[in-house]
Amino acid sequence: MEFFTRLSESFVANFITDDRWKLLVKGLGVTLEISLFAVILGSILGIIFALAKLSTSRNPFISLLRGFSKGFIDVIRGTPSFVQLLIINFVVFAAIDADKVVVASIAFAINSSAYMAEIIRAGILSIDKGQTEAGRSLGLTHWQTMRYIIFPQAIKNILPALGNEFIVLIKETSVAGYIGAYELTKASQIITSRTYNSFWPLFAIAVMYYIVVKILTIFLNKLERALRKSDIR
């Protein structure tokens, strides 16, 4: 009984006293904000880099973009996201008093864009070349063929990988607290510093991360099934 009494008292001290549970709710909101912005910007940049790598155009600008995309993806995939976050914050934004949430969002978006680019490129390459030839034979331009024929089919193929990247991104934001962003892990550290107890705060954020990932996984599975209803098996 004494063990459970101490456990309940510890629970109250970590979450109920001074409404400390609100710190975790605020941290969760920031975590989702960073993740959502990063995945949107990362997807946009990923599409641009993927199309640049796939392009065979000899246009000087496209050629330059293609070379930059290859180098960018190689560097970003070859260095830790945490190091990239520190470089963005302490080097790129060193002279600017930028919001740490914005800084973290940009850093994770840049990191995610490299992986998104390779996922999207693989999805496009998975579509048979005959689909492109069919689109061109119907009088569609290259970009119309990509938009109306290739992309819709590629999305179905890469959706699981894109969903996995979003899930990984949510968990990677746990290091954003090292630059001062008030995300979920940072909130747990603040509670621990006040109660000198790390069990309940860490247990709580583990459960919260799991619930968010589980909800996202269920949503993505339903979306994938909806997109594949037209497939003939």
Side-chain angles (χ1 to χ4, degrees):
M1 286 296 294
E2 185 179 351
F3 170 77
F4 290 106
T5 299
R6 289 200 303 269
L7 198 64
S8 62
E9 290 175 351
S10 176
F11 179 88
V12 171
N14 279 278
F15 302 126
I16 309 303
T17 303
D18 296 332
D19 290 332
R20 286 173 182 149
W21 62 271
K22 292 183 179 180
L23 299 176
L24 295 177
V25 173
K26 180 181 177 181
L28 177 61
V30 173
T31 291
L32 295 177
E33 182 182 353
I34 293 173
S35 301
L36 184 60
F37 179 84
V39 79
I40 292 174
L41 180 58
S43 296
I44 295 172
L45 292 175
I47 291 173
I48 295 173
F49 294 147
L51 293 178
K53 285 192 69 175
L54 289 170
S55 176
T56 57
S57 173
R58 295 185 179 180
N59 180 286
F61 175 76
I62 299 298
S63 298
L64 181 63
L65 181 59
R66 181 166 57 248
F68 173 80
S69 299
K70 291 179 179 179
F72 174 85
I73 292 172
D74 184 55
V75 170
I76 295 299
R77 293 177 69 192
T79 54
S81 59
F82 180 53
V83 174
Q84 295 164 15
L85 174 66
L86 296 179
I87 292 174
I88 294 294
N89 183 68
F90 296 113
V91 179
V92 177
F93 287 96
I96 304 174
D97 186 22
D99 188 297
K100 299 305 180 183
V101 173
V102 174
V103 174
S105 299
I106 292 174
F108 288 116
I110 290 174
N111 177 266
S112 181
S113 67
Y115 295 93
M116 289 284 194
E118 289 301 281
I119 292 171
I120 294 169
R121 185 177 69 88
I124 293 174
L125 290 175
S126 70
I127 306 303
D128 190 272
K129 290 184 178 180
Q131 298 287 328
T132 302
E133 295 171 356
R136 299 306 295 273
S137 67
L138 292 173
L140 299 178
T141 65
H142 174 74
W143 294 112
Q144 287 175 328
T145 302
M146 293 291 289
R147 178 181 176 184
Y148 296 111
I149 297 178
I150 305 302
F151 276 150
Q153 297 180 73
I155 287 296
K156 290 194 292 185
N157 293 340
I158 65 177
L159 185 60
L162 289 176
N164 185 63
E165 175 60 25
F166 191 18
I167 289 171
V168 170
L169 185 60
I170 290 175
K171 292 184 288 186
E172 281 188 343
T173 59
S174 61
V175 300
Y178 285 95
I179 65 168
Y182 192 92
E183 43 73 51
L184 197 52
T185 305
K186 184 68 173 180
S188 75
Q189 292 174 345
I190 291 175
I191 294 175
T192 298
S193 69
R194 296 176 182 177
T195 62
Y196 301 102
N197 179 286
S198 58
F199 170 74
W200 281 117
L202 291 177
F203 179 77
I205 65 170
V207 171
M208 294 173 79
Y209 275 120
Y210 176 79
I211 291 174
V212 170
V213 169
K214 192 65 177 179
I215 292 173
L216 181 60
T217 301
I218 292 172
F219 171 75
L220 290 170
N221 288 339
K222 289 185 176 181
L223 180 59
E224 185 179 355
R225 286 195 297 269
L227 289 175
R228 293 193 178 279
K229 278 185 178 178
S230 60
D231 289 357
I232 300 176
R233 297 293 181 183

